[in-house]
Amino acid sequence: MLRSCAAPLRSLGALRGPRGGACPPLCEPRPALRSFSSEKVIYKDFSIPNPSWSKDLRLLFDQFMKKCEDGSWKCLPLYKHGSLQRIQDFKTFFHDPKFTKEDVMTQTRLFTSSFEEGLGFEHAMFYNDVEKRTVCLFQGGLYLEGMPGFLHGGAIATMIDSTLGMSALIAGGIVMTANLNINFKRPIPLCSVVVINSQVDKVEGRKIFVSGNVQSADEKTLHSEATGLFIQLDPDKSLT
Amino acid sequence: MLRSCAAPLRSLGALRGPRGGACPPLCEPRPALRSFSSEKVIYKDFSIPNPSWSKDLRLLFDQFMKKCEDGSWKCLPLYKHGSLQRIQDFKTFFHDPKFTKEDVMTQTRLFTSSFEEGLGFEHAMFYNDVEKRTVCLFQGGLYLEGMPGFLHGGAIATMIDSTLGMSALIAGGIVMTANLNINFKRPIPLCSVVVINSQVDKVEGRKIFVSGNVQSADEKTLHSEATGLFIQLDPDKSLT
């Protein structure tokens, strides 16, 4: 399936920078608020702290930003809208013009950035090139409820797909999810902070096998484990 | 994991009716707008057609409503907030009071009903007791985007979890998802209508095995296939 690409694609745009934009290099010290304008589309980085972030999320974010200082980790910017570069990339693969009309594209929102501040997927992602590891810090808001007081399984699956897909995207360029297999072990309370870890396990031709898990911020609770199979669409566009 | 219960739990409340509410029996002819008040919480059924529904979704909805007339199918009401009964049910299982505070509960939204009309998960569910089959008619809005023009894999996983979980819930009462395994085969264009089919394959003790798929409205395209394992929390509360 070609849709796991929400975060991956958003980040692909981020890594390359919006066309005409001035996307800063990864791992650059980050200002309190940052946005980029490319033609009519405003690019705002949604992975920077905002008032809805809990103390736990801010603390973890600061710890990872500290790790970025020596270049071992990189912070991945996240955008609400796709970049025009992203749209152009997909036009290469999808020739039906109704899927890539730019006037429609500017009305859409990437699923993981589609809620108002604090209500949905508050998150930030970091990448370690040596370990080939992607980490997502995630605080799920009050609009992501499943059973009373806990995150919906679909919300967890969404962030797992996005994080594992990011690992695959960094390894293989534009990718699509072919399989996602999740074992849910412990429920995640609404508004709590969890850490999603993922790494590429192996690459066989165009198949990228990724695995990961979801842990509480204190690493004491294993909430979920997952594997993902991603298909590389264009091997020439690997980002590593 | 205990969170797949978003739709299941919402519907559990629906099947039983909010405490003090007047939830109509399943399969009753449905008015254009319907809401129920239970104490301070307003219950509005979000599975009835609204102006954002496409012609395809309305057509399918009408076809299933027609099937409800002889009692073979039942239409399942969907709510934005959980019922107090639902909260009470979960207090039985979760004793940490911070997860079940009613003032917090009233601020939350079930994930699949948390978007404004037309932007998120527009859907309706039907159940056939003889076939033990649940069908979800689903139109994913512009805020559920993954790759440009298509639904995010997490949005698809969310509706699959909700639909398979509904089958499990009807068979086993309060359930939690233990595993969700999805093969994504074809991307789903934003705002198109798909049909999610699911049925219970077998029950072993408290384990309920469910499978399903996602097809285009014309049944010509198989978008996804999935299996789910759900754990029955309270065997005495089976709804069948």
Side-chain angles (χ1 to χ4, degrees), chain B residues 123-193:
Chain B
H123 65 293
M125 285 197 197
F126 295 85
Y127 177 70
N128 184 308
D129 189 45
V130 174
E131 299 176 17
K132 305 296 180 200
R133 188 174 153 218
T134 305
V135 166
C136 176
L137 314 178
F138 170 42
Q139 172 187 300
L142 294 175
Y143 280 21
L144 306 186
E145 192 180 43
M147 72 173 188
F150 295 90
L151 288 184
H152 190 290
I156 299 167
T158 298
M159 287 312 301
I160 288 175
D161 184 31
S162 296
T163 308
L164 271 59
M166 178 68 85
S167 286
L169 176 130
I170 292 171
I174 298 177
V175 294
M176 62 183 197
T177 321
N179 176 266
L180 198 61
N181 191 346
I182 304 173
N183 286 317
F184 298 101
K185 294 175 175 292
R186 296 269 183 280
I188 300 176
L190 284 177
C191 302
S192 67
V193 176

Side-chain angles (χ1 to χ4, degrees), chain A residues 9 48 69 90 165 193 209 214 221:
Chain A
L9 292 175
I48 56 175
E69 289 175 3
F90 274 87
V193 176
F209 296 84
V214 184
T221 304

Side-chain angles (χ1 to χ4, degrees), chain A residues 11-17 23-30 34 45 65 68-69 71 73-79 125-129 166 170 239:
Chain A
S11 301
L12 180 65
L15 286 164
R16 292 177 178 168
C23 186
L26 301 181
C27 201
E28 185 177 285
R30 323 183 86 201
R34 202 173 54 191
D45 184 350
M65 287 307 289
C68 289
E69 289 175 3
W73 285 84
K74 297 178 195 308
C75 183
L76 306 170
L78 310 173
Y79 300 102
M125 285 197 197
F126 295 85
Y127 176 70
N128 184 308
D129 188 47
M166 178 67 86
I170 292 171
L239 302 178

Side-chain angles (χ1 to χ4, degrees), chain B residues 48-67:
Chain B
I48 57 174
N50 66 55
S52 79
W53 283 27
S54 67
K55 191 179 163 187
D56 284 350
L57 185 54
R58 283 174 179 269
L59 194 66
L60 271 174
F61 182 83
D62 290 344
Q63 287 171 358
F64 272 90
M65 286 307 289
K66 192 87 180 164
K67 291 180 184 179

Side-chain angles (χ1 to χ4, degrees), chain A residues 47-111:
Chain A
S47 66
I48 56 175
N50 67 54
S52 78
W53 283 27
S54 67
K55 191 179 163 187
D56 284 350
L57 184 55
R58 282 174 179 269
L59 194 65
L60 272 174
F61 182 83
D62 290 344
Q63 286 172 358
F64 272 90
M65 287 307 289
K66 193 86 179 164
K67 291 180 184 178
C68 289
E69 289 175 3
D70 66 3
S72 59
W73 285 84
K74 297 178 195 308
C75 183
L76 306 170
L78 310 173
Y79 300 102
K80 185 168 279 190
H81 296 282
S83 70
L84 294 181
Q85 177 62 55
R86 221 180 115 226
I87 294 170
Q88 200 57 48
D89 286 337
F90 274 87
K91 280 184 174 172
T92 309
F93 298 101
F94 300 100
H95 301 292
D96 187 337
K98 78 179 176 188
F99 297 152
T100 53
K101 281 182 184 166
E102 285 176 16
D103 59 336
V104 173
M105 291 292 168
T106 55
Q107 295 173 44
T108 62
R109 285 200 194 171
L110 287 161
F111 184 36

Side-chain angles (χ1 to χ4, degrees), chain A residues 1-3 6 9 86 108-109 111 142 145-147 151-153 156 178-184 186-187, chain B residues 1-3 6 9 86 108-109 111 142 145-147 151-153 156 178-184 186-187:
Chain A
M1 238 303 268
L2 294 149
R3 7 78 299 93
L9 292 175
R86 221 180 115 226
T108 62
R109 285 200 194 171
F111 184 36
L142 295 174
E145 192 181 43
M147 72 174 188
L151 288 184
H152 190 289
I156 299 166
N179 176 265
L180 198 61
N181 191 345
I182 304 173
N183 286 316
F184 299 101
R186 295 269 184 281
Chain B
M1 240 303 268
L2 294 149
R3 11 62 316 88
L9 292 174
R86 222 179 116 225
T108 63
R109 285 200 192 170
F111 184 35
L142 294 175
E145 192 180 43
M147 72 173 188
L151 288 184
H152 190 290
I156 299 167
N179 176 266
L180 198 61
N181 191 346
I182 304 173
N183 286 317
F184 298 101
R186 296 269 183 280

